[in-house]
Amino acid sequence: MAEESPRSGPLHVIREGDCAVLKRNEVFKAVAVVKRRKIIFEKQWFYLDNAIGHVYGTTFEVTSGGNLQPKKRADEATTETKEAGTDNRNIIDDGKSQKLTHDDIKALKDKGIKGQEIVQQLIENSATFRDKTEFAQDKYIKKKKKKYEAVVTIIKPSTRILSTMYYAREPGKINHLRYDTLAQMLTWGNVRAGNKMIIMETCAGLVLGAAMERMGGYGSIIQMYPGGGAVRAATNCFGFPKSFFQTLYEFPLSRVGSLLSGTFSIKALPSETEGNTLPAEESNGSPDEKQLSIQEADMECSTDTVTESCLADEQEMVDLPIDGEVLEDDKAKGMMRDKQRKQEERRKRLIDAAALLKDKDADGLIVASRFHPVPLLLSLLEFVAPSRPFVVYCQYKEPLLECYTKLRERGGVVNLKLSETWLRNYQVLPDRSHPKLTMSGGGGYLLTGITVINENPKTDDRSEQKTEEPTSKKRKLEEPLALKEDIIL
C-alpha cells in the first residue's frame, strides 16, 4: 500500500497545507492553511493554527493575540428586543442619540470585552432604539455586529465561491466573468467526467479549475496558453489533489499552426521551454517543491554558521573552502539534474498533448480570452470532433458578432446562438422580500454552437458557376460605363 501523504484525512476537516476560503458577511479571501502565518482579513489579523482539525464551515471568533476560538451556538443567537415602535418618521438622526462615545467603545475593546457585549451596550445606551420599527432594529443590530464582532468562517473552496470572490475583488483578472455566466459556459460546453476538453482562457485559471472540478479527475483537459507559460493562480486555490493534474495537459498557442500544417517538431522546444516556461512553473510550484527550496535555504544558512564558528582554527580555515566548493558543485549538479528532469517531463507532456490534439476528436471547446476570439476559434475548432459543443465568452458583443458571421461563411457549425445573461439578486426575509437595489450591469456575452462535418459541395458549385458565367452579363455591366464616357465627351 502507498504511504499516506501528510495531507491525507477526511476531506471535510481543515488540514495544514490545504487551500481554504475565509468568509465574513459577503467578503471572501482565499488563503493557504499554514501554521504561524499571519493572516490579515477585513482589518483583522490572526493565525490559523487553532483552526486545524475543525470542520469546514466552522465560525471562529478572533481573540486576543490573533488566536481563533470556535464560536458557540449560544453566541450566534440574535439579540432579543422587547419593545419596538410602529413608525420611524419622528426619529431624527442628529448624532446625539448614542450615549457611548468613541473613547468609551475603545476602552471596552481594550478590556477584552467581546463584540456581542459591545453591541448589547450600544443598544442599551441608544435613546432612539426602542422607537424604531422591528425591521429597523434588525438592520441596526446587523450593522453594529458587522462593525464590532470579529468573526470569520472558514469554508472549502468551490467554483461558486471562488468565482464570486474574484468577481467581487478582482474582476479584471477574470475578464469580468460573472459566476452565472461561468455556470452557463460549463453547461453549454457539456463539461462532464470522461470528456476530452480543450480550454483556452486568460481568466487566471478560473475556467480551467471549474472544468477540473466538474470532471472530477476523469477524462483529459488540454489547456492552450499564450506566451511563455500557463497562468493557474485561481486553479491552485481549488486545492485539487495531484491525480487531477495527471489528466491536465498544456500546449502553446504559438505551435497550433505548425500542428495543423503537419510541420510540428519537438526539436526546437527545449531551449524555448527552458527560457519561458520555467518562471511560470516556479510560480505555480507544488508545496513539496517549495519545502525543498526552504530546506536548501536552511542548509545554506547552516553552512554559513559553521564557517563563521570555525574561523579561529587555522587548519579548518584551509580545509573549509574546499569542502564548500565541493558542496556548491554538488548542489549545482543536483540543480542541473532536476532542471533537466523537469524539462524532459515537460517535453513528454507536450508530446502527449500534441498527440491528443492530432486525433481531432475533442468533446468540447471553451474559449474565454482577452484576445480577439475569431482567429482562436477558427483554428481550435479544427481539433473538435463533429456533433460537439463549443462556447466562446467575451466581455463585449462586437467580437462575437464577427465570430458569428465568420462561422456562417465558413460552415461546419449549426445552432449558433449569441446570448447575454441577466442577473438580479433578491433579498429574501420575512415580510420584506424584494429585489436588491444594486445589480450587476452586465455579465458578458456567450456564443454557443455545435460542430458538424463540413462538406462544401455548395461552395464548389457556386465557384464553378461564377467561372462559367455568360459573357453577356459582363457586357451589360460594361455598356453603361461606355455610355457615360460618350456623354462626358
Side-chain angles (χ1 to χ4, degrees):
M1 294 178 63
E3 295 182 359
E4 291 186 359
S5 62
R7 292 178 58 185
S8 62
L11 297 177
H12 58 278
V13 175
I14 304 171
R15 300 163 296 176
E16 185 178 3
D18 282 359
C19 295
V21 176
L22 307 178
K23 179 187 177 185
R24 185 179 179 187
N25 298 317
E26 297 300 324
V27 183
F28 300 90
K29 183 179 180 180
V31 296
V33 181
V34 181
K35 288 184 177 180
R36 303 310 302 167
R37 176 181 288 182
K38 189 175 182 180
I39 304 294
I40 300 175
F41 178 56
E42 288 292 289
K43 299 180 181 180
Q44 293 285 337
W45 66 271
F46 49 87
Y47 301 96
L48 297 177
D49 298 29
N50 295 341
I52 297 174
H54 288 274
V55 181
Y56 278 106
T58 305
T59 301
F60 297 91
E61 187 172 3
V62 182
T63 59
S64 59
N67 297 319
L68 294 182
Q69 182 180 357
K71 193 173 182 181
K72 298 179 181 179
R73 292 281 183 180
D75 297 339
E76 296 178 0
T78 56
T79 306
E80 295 183 0
T81 56
K82 297 180 180 179
E83 298 179 4
T86 57
D87 204 333
N88 292 333
R89 71 180 71 185
N90 297 324
I91 298 175
I92 301 174
D93 187 11
D94 54 0
K96 299 179 181 179
S97 59
Q98 183 55 247
K99 297 178 183 179
L100 290 179
T101 62
H102 182 71
D103 295 333
D104 296 336
I105 297 172
K106 188 177 180 181
L108 292 174
K109 287 183 178 179
D110 294 338
K111 290 180 182 179
I113 296 178
K114 293 184 178 181
Q116 187 175 0
E117 297 178 5
I118 294 176
V119 173
Q120 187 64 37
Q121 292 197 21
L122 287 171
I123 293 172
E124 293 173 358
N125 289 276
S126 177
T128 58
F129 182 80
R130 290 178 178 81
D131 298 333
K132 295 181 179 181
T133 61
E134 183 181 354
F135 298 152
Q137 288 179 354
D138 292 342
K139 193 174 181 180
Y140 179 86
I141 293 171
K142 185 178 179 181
K143 182 180 178 181
K144 296 303 178 183
K145 280 186 175 182
K146 182 179 179 180
K147 186 174 182 180
Y148 295 106
E149 282 193 357
V151 294
V152 61
T153 305
I154 301 179
I155 55 181
K156 196 172 182 63
S158 65
T159 299
R160 179 183 61 84
I161 292 169
L162 291 178
S163 59
T164 305
M165 179 192 74
Y166 267 95
Y167 189 78
R169 296 174 68 94
E170 299 171 320
K173 288 189 176 181
I174 58 172
N175 299 330
H176 295 266
L177 176 63
R178 206 167 54 196
Y179 39 89
D180 62 311
T181 309
L182 177 59
Q184 289 194 24
M185 290 173 64
L186 297 177
T187 303
W188 284 110
N190 194 24
V191 181
R192 57 184 177 84
N195 273 8
K196 181 198 286 188
M197 298 297 301
I198 300 176
I199 297 178
M200 165 49 195
E201 58 112 332
T202 56
C203 300
L206 180 63
V207 180
L208 176 66
M212 292 175 66
E213 182 188 54
R214 179 162 291 197
M215 294 176 67
Y218 298 96
S220 58
I221 299 177
I222 305 159
Q223 182 187 10
M224 316 299 292
Y225 64 89
V231 179
R232 297 174 184 168
T235 309
N236 295 333
C237 294
F238 282 86
F240 293 128
K242 291 183 179 180
S243 59
F244 278 49
F245 292 93
Q246 293 177 0
T247 61
L248 175 61
Y249 303 87
E250 56 185 35
F251 194 83
L253 279 174
S254 58
R255 299 284 174 177
V256 171
S258 60
L259 189 63
L260 288 172
S261 61
T263 60
F264 176 75
S265 176
I266 202 69
K267 293 180 180 179
L269 290 174
S271 59
E272 186 174 335
T273 54
E274 185 177 353
N276 294 332
T277 59
L278 274 175
E281 183 146 330
E282 287 174 0
S283 63
N284 297 329
S286 62
D288 298 334
E289 293 175 356
K290 293 179 181 177
Q291 290 177 1
L292 288 173
S293 62
I294 295 171
Q295 291 176 0
E296 290 175 1
D298 294 338
M299 288 173 63
E300 290 177 1
C301 295
S302 62
T303 54
D304 292 340
T305 54
V306 169
T307 53
E308 290 176 0
S309 62
C310 298
L311 285 174
D313 194 349
E314 295 181 357
Q315 183 66 27
E316 292 181 359
M317 281 179 63
V318 177
D319 296 335
L320 276 173
I322 300 174
D323 295 339
E325 290 177 1
V326 172
L327 288 173
E328 289 179 359
D329 292 341
D330 293 342
K331 190 181 293 184
K333 290 179 181 178
M335 291 177 65
M336 285 296 295
R337 290 171 186 169
D338 292 341
K339 191 174 182 180
Q340 291 175 358
R341 179 179 55 82
K342 290 180 181 178
Q343 191 171 345
E344 188 64 27
E345 290 178 358
R346 201 175 302 115
R347 289 182 67 225
K348 290 179 180 178
R349 298 287 291 177
L350 191 59
I351 294 172
D352 294 340
L356 290 173
L357 289 173
K358 282 181 180 178
D359 295 337
K360 296 185 178 181
D361 59 348
D363 295 315
L365 170 65
I366 296 178
V367 179
S369 171
R370 66 177 183 271
F371 305 112
H372 202 287
V374 171
L376 294 174
L377 181 62
L378 294 180
S379 59
L380 295 179
L381 276 178
E382 300 293 333
F383 302 112
V384 183
S387 189
R388 298 295 189 274
F390 64 90
V391 185
V392 186
Y393 165 80
C394 189
Q395 187 181 354
Y396 311 102
K397 64 180 178 181
E398 287 77 13
L400 295 183
L401 285 172
E402 188 175 346
C403 278
Y404 186 92
T405 56
K406 291 287 184 182
L407 289 174
R408 283 293 188 187
E409 295 173 0
R410 171 184 174 271
V413 294
V414 295
N415 200 22
L416 275 179
K417 290 182 181 180
L418 179 58
S419 60
E420 177 188 11
T421 56
W422 192 80
L423 177 71
R424 189 169 191 179
N425 294 320
Y426 278 74
Q427 172 184 291
V428 181
L429 291 172
D431 298 328
R432 53 192 187 277
S433 296
H434 59 80
K436 290 188 177 180
L437 299 178
T438 58
M439 61 174 290
S440 173
Y445 299 86
L446 290 179
L447 177 65
T448 60
I450 299 174
T451 60
V452 293
I453 297 176
N454 191 8
E455 296 179 354
N456 295 324
K458 295 182 179 180
T459 56
D460 296 336
D461 295 342
R462 288 175 183 174
S463 61
E464 290 177 1
Q465 289 176 3
K466 287 180 181 179
T467 55
E468 297 176 0
E469 191 174 1
T471 55
S472 60
K473 291 185 179 180
K474 293 182 180 179
R475 289 177 182 175
K476 287 181 180 179
L477 293 173
E478 292 172 359
E479 283 175 1
L481 294 174
L483 289 172
K484 286 182 181 179
E485 290 178 358
D486 295 338
I487 292 169
I488 293 170
L489 291 172

